[in-house]
Structures are given as C-alpha cells and as structure tokens.
Amino acid sequence: MSSSPSLPVQEESQSEADLLMRLFPGGGEMGQRIRELDWSATLLGPVRGWPQCLRTAVSIMLGSRFPMMVHWGPQLVHFYNDGYATILQGKHPGALGQPAEPWWREMWPFLQGIFASVLAGQATYFENQLVLPNRQGFIEETYFNFSHSPIYNEAGTVGGIFVTALETTSTVLQQRRLALLSHLTSQTALSVQPAEATQHIISALSTNADDIPFALLYTHEEGTTQAQLRAWFGLPAGEPTAPTIIALSPPANSNLGWPVGAVLQQGRPLLVASLQERFGVWPTGEWPEAPTRALLLPLFVGEANSGPATILIVGLSARRPLDEAYHTFFSLVADYAGRALARARAVHEAQRLNHVLRNMNASLDSFVHIVAHDLKSPATNLQGLLELYYEEEPGSAQDHIVTLLEQEVQRLSNTVRGLLQVLHTQYEAAAPATGTIAWAEVYATVEAEVTELLHQQQGTLTADFGAAPTIRYPQAYLESIMRNLVYNALKYRSPERAPVIQVQSRRQGQMVELKVTDNGRGIDLARDRDRLFQPFTRLTTEGEGAGLGLHLISTLVHRRGGTLDVASTLGAGTTFTVILPEEPTAVPSF
C-alpha cells in the first residue's frame, strides 16, 4: 500500500516513541503497553517498518472495547486490547509482542487448524466453543464465542489474523448447573421412601460429571458412632475412597479419610484438599486430571432436622476454580437435596401414620366387637339370675342366687376395669413421667400384691437385678408389666407342683432386658402363639381373669419401641422376655 510522500519523511524525523504515540494515542492499559514496548527486540522490529495494514488493524483493535486480538506475521505475534487482557488472565501482559507458540502450547493442536484455515483466506466463527487454556496455572474448562478473520497486506496476501472473542463460560456453566438442579427436582419429586430419594439424588448428580466428578451420600443414626454409605457414583464403594462405614471419631492422623464427624459437629460445609495425599492414587473422571478437592455438605432435612443426619460429599472439577458461582451451585445442590430428603421423609411418615391409623381403626372395630361379645355373656347371666331371684321365695335358694349375682358382678367389674386399662394405654394423651427406676422397688410393689396368693399356692418368687439394677422408664408401666407377667405365671401354674417364678434383668447395649420364668403348665406355641397377645385370650378355663393381661403388656412394650417374646415347653414352664429401650435423659432448657 502506498503512503503519502510526506509520511516517510515525517516518520524519519520522529523517534520511535513519538511515532508510537502518534499512531496509537489511546487504547487504555494496552495502548500504553504497546507504546512502551521495545518493538525492536521483537520479531516484528521497529514500528516504522510495520506495514500500514498492521498499523490500521492495531489501531482499530485499541479503539474497541470489545475483546480483540491481532496475530501478525508467520509467527503470529500477539497484539490485544484491554478487553482481551481480561480473557488472558495469567498470560497477560507477557503475551504482548510474543509469537502464538509457545504461549498457547496447551491448545496448539486445536489452534493450528484454525490458523491454517484463516491464513488460507477463510474466516471462522465458533459459538460456546469449549476451549482449554492454561491461564491460571492449570488447564481450565472455558467456553467462548469467537471469530478469526484474515488481514490482507499490501501485496494482497494474508499477513495476519484478526480475532474477536467473548467468553461465555459463566453462561454455559449456569445453564448446565440449572439443568442438573431441575433434574434433581424432577427425579426426587415422586420419591416416597428416604432410601429411594437418596438414590435419585445421586442419580441426578451423576448427570453432570463435569462439575461433580463423584458423589457419596452418608447417613448417621442418632446414638451411633459411625456414618453409613447409602448412595454413590464415580467411586467404587467399599474402597478407601468410598468406605461403606466411617467412624465419627477422627483418626490418629486427621489428614486421612473423610472428616464426616467434624462436619456433623460444626454443621457447615468443609473443603478437603489434596485428595491424593489423604487416599493415595485417585481415579480420573471426565478430564485427564484427577480431582484434587472435595466438599463435604451437611444436608438440613426439615425444620426439626428429624431423622438421621445426612452428609453429601461432592468432588470438585480439576478444571474449574472454586469461585463464588461454584460455591453457590453447591449450596443449591445441598438445599435441593435436603428438601428432597425432607419431602420423602414427610411422605413416608404420613404413609406410616396412615397405616397406623388404619390398623388402629381396624383394631378398634375388632375391640368393640370383642367387648360387645364378652360383655354380652355376663349381662345375660345377670338378667337370668335376677329373674330366678324374683321367682324364688326368700330363703337359702334366694341367698345362693345373690352369691351368684355377686360373683357375676365381680366378673363384669374385672372385665370393665381391664378394658379401661387397655384403652388408657392405647389412647392416652400423655405418658407418665420418666425417671431412673430401681427394679427392686418395682419388684417390692408387685411382691406385696401377690404375697397372699403365693402363700395360698405355696409358691416361690425370687428376683435378681444385679446385671441391670436400674432403668429409665415410666414406673407405672414397669409395675404393670411385671405385675401382669407374675400374675400370669400364677394363673397358669402346673397342677402337679407348687409355682416357682424367677424375675431377672440385664443390659443389652442401649436396651434393658426383663425375664420372667415359671415352672407352670407351659403353652402350645405352635397352636396359640398367634392369638397369645390378643385381647380376651384365655388358654384355660381355670382361674379368673378377662384375658387382657398379655395384650396390655404387648401394647405397653411395643408403643415405646420395645419387644415382647415368649419361649415355652408344654409341661415344663414358660419364659417371657421383655426388651425395653431406655428413655433418654431429659436435657434442661434455659
């Protein structure tokens, strides 16, 4: 391209600095850097030797606020403006005046194809293109809209490349992460079991392995000292990186393993770095580089945070910095996952309560039917005895009828009393107060009540509470359980020998076991086990009682998470075993 006749003379009379100032007067920081750079020490040489097309391209670039770069010459020497300097990050300002290779060595195979096409005269355009630069000390996952256009020199050949670029990384990542959150919501929307919800959560997270290369979900049941793995992806379960059980107490070396206990104690997210140092060789994921960091996220499930505590461990991408957007994303993941678990637990609890209510209604219907049937007999007997009473003349016959009437009234009274006790146990509004109760105290009360009956039967009642002298439980319930079991042993005594009854207690972890053993007639469990604890069940016509004792005990025990079992041998005796969970010690409020 020809220049005006005065221009070379004017340039010859100017210093390099003055010429740079005249050619590139503005341009912000990069204009200043271009003016200050010693171009004679670069591949392009002094600015007075630059062709006009290059000067024009650089001037246009500096005058734009849109990110732009110019590559010039066979070595594609860099020029760029302030907008592009932001994109370069760690490559700025060193890239100015330097050839494209080795500054873009990590992307050279990708760029070579583009440069060859443009140098042949073909412009290019890319939208949301994945680009993997090393501008912060690691290969980074980024996305750009960019174009490359040829710059023609005065000879009509391509002398350089004009680049315009706009980074879209935040937009692409945001869309990808919002898609995961949407998927997480839809996956867990119909979960009706907490276990099902945990699987759906992990399944949703696995759809975005670029942001979350692996995930582990652990739960911790109250009263235990370990957390259990419930769902996972990206790591093999049972290996050191994903153990099935994690002890909450920290190991001797706190830099080993997952610090789940610390997260539960602190109740906030915890960043774990240097995974290879903690666990050894770490498997790679979507990228060639293995993850080096993970976040431990406590999931808050419901206002009361009921149910087991839950910890979600998520791996961090080796090709993304843990910036504010990444932090926000994981906060939303924890929030969505916590809500999904809370919803599943609420649905599960509602279903459980509905099931209990249906059973209670069915039980109540059965109870009413049994009551009506059981009260019909004494009522009919009373009516018949009253008719006989009025038909008899005063005397011994009438007195005998009065005795029969008194016995029938007592039987009816005992039945009604038993029914009321069962109803009170099943439908009471509040349980009796809980305290630390000595078994010996409960035994003394029951022993006093059965002393006369034991004397009449020449029986023996002994106790041994050495293995578990106390229990935290409502005293009234303990007395009712022991009383009914002892009376039951006396009722079903063997006609061939005097009754011998043994009562003892012992501990089983967090539970307390009560055993009542007798030498009575025994029970045919193959025949009677299914109906043994049903109301109004009497296995013999001898003795008194409405058949409500064992039903009452079963109700008391099971309502508080305990168990009731029986072992028996016909003709030898029976042992009832009651397992009672201790009530927790009350924590005073201030």
Side-chain angles (χ1 to χ4, degrees), residues 71-85:
H71 295 288
W72 188 259
Q75 290 81 22
L76 300 172
V77 174
H78 295 120
F79 295 84
Y80 55 93
N81 64 5
D82 287 357
Y84 212 98

Side-chain angles (χ1 to χ4, degrees), residues 1 51 53-54 72 151-160:
M1 175 180 284
C53 55
L54 172 58
W72 188 259
I151 303 174
Y152 289 90
N153 58 26
E154 286 77 358
T157 61
V158 178

Side-chain angles (χ1 to χ4, degrees), residues 523-534 539 564-568:
I523 303 170
D524 187 350
L525 294 178
R527 182 191 66 188
D528 297 325
R529 181 184 285 276
D530 291 341
R531 68 188 189 98
L532 186 60
F533 300 107
Q534 297 300 315
L539 304 182
L564 174 61
D565 198 11
V566 59
S568 187

Side-chain angles (χ1 to χ4, degrees), residues 379-392:
T380 302
N381 291 343
L382 285 172
Q383 184 178 8
L385 288 171
L386 281 173
E387 291 175 355
L388 288 175
Y389 177 83
Y390 289 124
E391 292 174 358
E392 291 289 341

